[in-house]
Amino acid sequence: MKKLFVLAFVLTSSFSMAQNAAKAKSLLDEVYNKVQSYKNIHVEFKYALQNTEANINQETRGDVTLQGDKYLFNYLGSQQLFDGKKVYTIVPENEEVTIENKSEDVNTVTPSKMLTFYKSGHNYDWDVLQNIQGRKIQFVKLTPIDTHSEIKTILLGIDIGTKHIYRLIETGKNGTKTTITVNSFKTDQPLSKTLFTFDESKYKNEGYYIIRN
């Protein structure tokens, strides 16, 4: 009888886990389809980095404009532009521009993938529902399938009303916690035709050093 009880418990738990995983995947599919439906997206966010053991507690803000694979990313006083072929990193403080090819590392979360990276490479689980400033935020727990990943878990908070990502909490195996909170999420904005175009002559005329990798 005891063995039957244990077996029933295991089967029930496995079924419940499978249901939770299916619910989580279904919600993330809705988020992905919503993101893909927009012509462009502009996100303003707060970025926080914490590691208690290393006594690190940093907070900053940034923004990114996305259109397909192209992006314009402003963060920590520098700007990164991807025009579909090359990545341009502009650092005004050093008066430098670095030009390089797009990274082919599938595990690298680039600005162009920051709203869709969860589509593959993770196991999903249904997590807590929180009420944040009147908004219902459903968290989904992502665990990397790659056991060699430096990431332990990612909690992705989804606004149930809009199906937009509100918060991302990444916990590394080294104890570092990275939290990205979306402060503003705008879609289908009128964009300049040259927004994702790099004007090399402009920076040369301003005395910038151009580095090609």
Side-chain angles (χ1 to χ4, degrees):
M1 180 65 73
K2 185 177 180 180
K3 288 183 179 179
L4 288 175
F5 176 78
V6 171
L7 179 61
F9 177 77
V10 170
L11 290 174
T12 302
S13 297
S14 298
F15 180 71
S16 177
M17 288 173 62
Q19 278 190 317
N20 284 341
K23 274 201 307 181
K25 185 180 184 305
S26 177
L27 177 59
L28 291 179
D29 284 343
E30 285 188 74
V31 175
Y32 179 81
N33 291 333
K34 197 78 177 287
V35 167
Q36 294 296 98
S37 71
Y38 298 127
K39 294 178 181 178
N40 61 66
I41 298 172
H42 178 76
V43 176
E44 296 176 8
F45 60 88
K46 181 175 72 174
Y47 176 95
L49 182 69
Q50 294 177 309
N51 187 311
T52 305
E53 288 187 10
N55 196 30
I56 296 173
N57 192 357
Q58 301 174 346
E59 190 173 294
T60 188
R61 294 177 184 272
D63 66 82
V64 61
T65 302
L66 307 162
Q67 186 176 63
D69 286 337
K70 298 177 182 180
Y71 63 78
L72 181 63
F73 183 46
N74 295 293
Y75 177 66
L76 291 176
S78 64
Q79 187 177 79
Q80 191 173 86
L81 167 71
F82 178 56
D83 63 4
K85 295 179 180 179
K86 298 282 186 180
V87 178
Y88 306 86
T89 304
I90 304 154
V91 185
E93 185 179 355
N94 300 335
E95 294 189 337
E96 286 183 352
V97 176
T98 302
I99 304 174
E100 55 195 334
N101 292 322
K102 181 184 177 183
S103 173
E104 297 301 326
D105 185 355
V106 295
N107 295 315
T108 301
V109 179
T110 62
S112 57
K113 294 194 295 183
M114 67 182 296
L115 297 177
T116 58
F117 74 94
Y118 51 82
K119 187 64 176 173
S120 61
H122 302 86
N123 291 316
Y124 309 122
D125 195 15
W126 199 251
D127 210 88
V128 298
L129 175 67
Q130 293 184 350
N131 190 313
I132 301 177
Q133 297 178 341
R135 300 164 66 182
K136 290 185 177 179
I137 308 297
Q138 176 63 55
F139 282 86
V140 172
K141 184 177 180 180
L142 281 66
T143 307
I145 294 173
D146 180 5
T147 56
H148 296 99
S149 172
E150 296 180 2
I151 300 170
K152 184 179 178 181
T153 59
I154 297 173
L155 282 171
L156 205 57
I158 310 300
D159 186 319
I160 293 298
T162 62
K163 298 298 189 298
H164 292 161
I165 295 173
Y166 169 72
R167 180 169 289 163
L168 180 152
I169 305 170
E170 177 186 292
T171 303
K173 291 179 179 177
N174 63 353
T176 299
K177 180 181 284 188
T178 303
T179 303
I180 298 174
T181 303
V182 173
N183 294 324
S184 173
F185 193 105
K186 298 178 181 178
T187 62
D188 298 340
Q189 300 294 293
L191 302 180
S192 166
K193 292 181 179 180
T194 60
L195 184 64
F196 304 107
T197 302
F198 178 72
D199 184 354
E200 185 170 335
S201 62
K202 169 191 170 184
Y203 291 96
K204 281 185 176 179
N205 291 337
E206 293 179 1
Y208 275 64
Y209 182 60
I210 309 294
I211 304 168
R212 298 181 188 274
N213 291 338

